[in-house]
Amino acid sequence: MSQSDRVSEHRILTGKVVIATHNAGKLVEMRELLAPFGVEAVSAGELGLAEPDETGTMFSENAAIKAIAAAEASDLPAFADDSGLCVDALDGAPGLFSARWAGPDKDFSGAMARIEAELAKRGATDRRAHFVSALVLAWPDGHTELFEGRVFGDLVAPRGALGFGYDPMFRPDGLDRTFGEISSEEKHGVDWQSGNALSHRARAFVTLAAACLRRPG
Ligand code: IMP
């Protein structure tokens, strides 16, 4: 059954949800995003759930693999995000392999240096890039819903020690600071009046919230 076949009507999420990530940076962002909705978030790490192999060929497939595995193992609804940085002049790389470019030591200085080296090898002057987040919400009975968000910008020499991953080299359109130079609130905060948000994950979350979350009271 394809991802789209599984998507039917939206279900409203209440109570407890598993955040199917072992990435501390993403966990903090997702917890903060969920806070206003009265949903209790537990992480896959806290529940001791195994991390499934990410064998998909698209962000949405990998997010579904992680969310479905966590929902089945915990018997609770589960969220998973799969995300990455896509560089235009590198035909979308590192893309699905964004985490893997940093190697087992999670060396993102090395991964950012590799992007520069690959651009130099191609003689590329185009420095456009975007982050993508595919967010899947899966229920223990197999129902899933997919939401996606993107943020476009330019690659610059790494600046700033905030954030994680490739944040220091990504300057989003409309800002003169990189994701490494802005607070987590500015990066993934949501203006719930307008629905505006900056980061790819926050943008995906806004669409998810409209479909599946309600404010208490
Ligand atoms: P995932 O855990 O397979 O989704 O790995 C995504 C990888 O993409 C992360 O390890 C980071 O390297 C990168 N990435 C995703 N979102 C962000 C972000 O918001 N800032 C910086 N890097 C990110």
Side-chain angles (χ1 to χ4, degrees):
M1 189 190 288
S2 76
Q3 177 65 29
S4 56
D5 290 336
R6 280 198 222 98
V7 175
S8 54
E9 83 291 354
H10 297 308
R11 278 192 201 164
I12 303 304
L13 181 65
T14 55
K16 227 183 212 183
V17 66
V18 179
I19 304 184
T21 183
H22 291 253
N23 175 323
K26 286 187 186 179
L27 182 61
V28 169
E29 285 194 15
M30 290 305 300
R31 277 219 164 106
E32 289 181 15
L33 285 165
L34 279 167
F37 297 97
V39 171
E40 186 191 341
V42 286
S43 79
E46 285 161 354
L47 294 176
L49 304 182
E51 277 185 273
D53 289 335
E54 298 183 22
T55 53
T57 55
M58 294 189 307
F59 291 112
S60 56
E61 277 179 66
N62 281 340
I65 288 169
K66 291 183 275 190
I68 291 167
E72 284 175 354
S74 64
D75 210 23
L76 289 168
F79 275 129
D81 152 277
D82 200 58
S83 53
L85 178 68
C86 301
V87 179
D88 291 9
L90 301 182
D91 304 318
L96 275 186
F97 302 98
S98 295
R100 281 166 265 186
W101 273 32
D105 296 336
K106 300 190 192 310
D107 172 13
F108 282 98
S109 300
M112 290 188 282
R114 182 170 166 192
I115 289 181
E116 288 297 354
E118 299 281 343
L119 288 171
K121 216 193 294 178
R122 296 185 187 210
T125 50
D126 175 6
R127 300 186 62 87
R128 294 295 291 165
H130 61 276
F131 278 113
V132 179
S133 167
L135 201 52
V136 168
L137 182 51
W139 268 260
D141 66 0
H143 176 84
T144 62
E145 303 198 33
L146 166 68
F147 305 91
E148 286 188 302
R150 285 180 173 67
V151 56
F152 292 82
D154 290 306
L155 297 178
V156 298
R159 298 197 313 249
L162 303 175
F164 66 97
Y166 298 89
D167 279 343
M169 80 177 311
F170 184 78
R171 187 183 59 208
D173 290 345
L175 225 65
D176 56 8
R177 286 162 298 146
T178 69
F179 270 0
E181 295 175 303
I182 64 176
S183 67
S184 70
E185 174 56 28
E186 190 173 353
K187 182 181 168 196
H188 69 257
V190 176
D191 176 348
W192 289 108
Q193 292 291 337
S194 62
N196 286 339
L198 182 56
S199 83
H200 46 311
R201 226 175 335 278
R203 288 177 177 176
F205 188 83
V206 167
T207 58
L208 181 150
C212 301
L213 295 170
R214 295 292 175 263
R215 280 172 192 277

